[in-house]
Amino acid sequence: MSLFRDDGVVLRAQKLGEADRIITLLTRQHGKVRAVARGVRKTKSKFGARLEPFSHVDVQFFSRGSELVGRGLPLCTQVETIAPYGGPIVTDYGRYTAGTAMLETAERFAENEGEPAVQQYLLLVGGLRTLAAGVHESHLVLDAFLLRSLAVNGYGASFTDCAKCGLEGPNRFFSLPAGGVLCGDCRVPGCAVPSPETLVLLGALLSGDWQTADACEPRYWREGSGLVAAYLQWHLERGIRSMRYVEK
Ligand SMILES: [Zn+2]
């Protein structure tokens, strides 16, 4: 029997029997972890309120084995709130739908329980903090998170230099299989040809240039979101279900 302590973001909370829940977290040190929280569905359970989706928490786990993940589900024995991002997110439809797609995407990229996914964890915490602050359009926060999640998982896209030969940009032809834009010589059949402004926007979202992203015209935001969604879909076997609810 062992005790573990870790920071994590609550991805999901599912009912278990009358009063308990199975909580799915993306943790800093142990990647995705599922754990049982007992008695959290009783009214006025402070413990339960801390374990709602979007919450950034400090959790103590009790495991029957010597590892956190493996021998049955561990128990959540103590929870402290680091940041209650759920409050400002669930009360706003745009933030909620974008945030839900972020949680689902983070879980998909950190599919193997117990396997550390530190960069994905840090991206999720940063993304939820930005979303909760409400200073940028929710769909832009989501698209920045998706592009960076793809990048830290080995699918970084190029929106300026040619993804094949490296020719300095701007380049116009966007190819999903090539992982970004291609020059006139490298272009393949079936490329999209988005507006140059849209490619500048996507590069800005990937690098964190919010000034450029915020100032973009809404039609380029929409075109950019479409390309990001297609690129994500290309790399994940199954699509992200909650993407369909995101306001564009
Ligand atoms: Zn090229």
Side-chain angles (χ1 to χ4, degrees), residues 13-34:
Q14 297 155 282
K15 289 179 187 178
L16 176 69
E18 284 296 306
D20 305 340
R21 275 187 188 159
I22 295 178
I23 310 293
T24 306
L25 300 121
L26 181 59
T27 65
R28 184 188 292 268
Q29 299 168 59
H30 300 88
K32 178 176 151 179
V33 171
R34 289 187 308 139

Side-chain angles (χ1 to χ4, degrees), residues 41-218:
R41 291 174 60 212
K42 287 175 193 152
T43 45
K44 293 178 186 168
S45 160
K46 277 188 190 166
F47 194 61
R50 291 179 189 141
L51 288 170
E52 295 290 341
F54 305 110
S55 283
H56 187 202
V57 288
D58 174 337
V59 189
Q60 183 177 279
F61 300 98
F62 176 84
S63 167
R64 257 162 279 172
S66 58
E67 303 288 327
L68 177 56
V69 172
R71 276 186 63 186
L73 295 182
L75 282 179
C76 291
T77 50
Q78 271 179 43
V79 181
E80 295 297 334
T81 302
I82 296 170
Y85 295 128
I89 291 176
V90 301
T91 49
D92 178 280
Y93 184 77
R95 281 180 216 159
Y96 177 72
T97 52
T100 303
M102 286 164 66
L103 297 185
E104 190 181 338
T105 303
E107 182 170 359
R108 287 288 296 283
F109 276 122
E111 219 154 24
N112 299 329
E113 289 183 37
E115 203 170 277
V118 184
Q119 285 181 299
Q120 186 66 69
Y121 165 80
L122 293 173
L123 275 182
L124 183 61
V125 171
L128 292 178
R129 187 189 302 128
T130 306
L131 190 64
V135 288
H136 305 292
E137 296 283 340
S138 300
H139 58 85
L140 290 181
V141 179
L142 171 63
D143 286 341
F145 172 79
L146 297 177
L147 286 174
R148 292 175 195 174
S149 295
L150 283 155
V152 300
N153 287 286
Y155 309 120
S158 171
F159 298 110
T160 48
D161 296 350
C162 174
K164 202 166 171 189
C165 74
L167 181 77
E168 210 172 299
N171 288 293
R172 300 173 52 205
F173 307 102
F174 184 84
S175 159
L176 294 174
V181 287
L182 296 173
C183 68
D185 290 338
C186 296
R187 68 177 290 192
V188 289
C191 282
V193 188
S195 311
E197 291 88 342
T198 300
L199 294 170
V200 170
L201 165 69
L202 294 176
L205 289 173
L206 184 57
S207 68
D209 174 3
W210 283 105
Q211 207 174 351
T212 299
D214 289 341
C216 210
E217 281 181 45

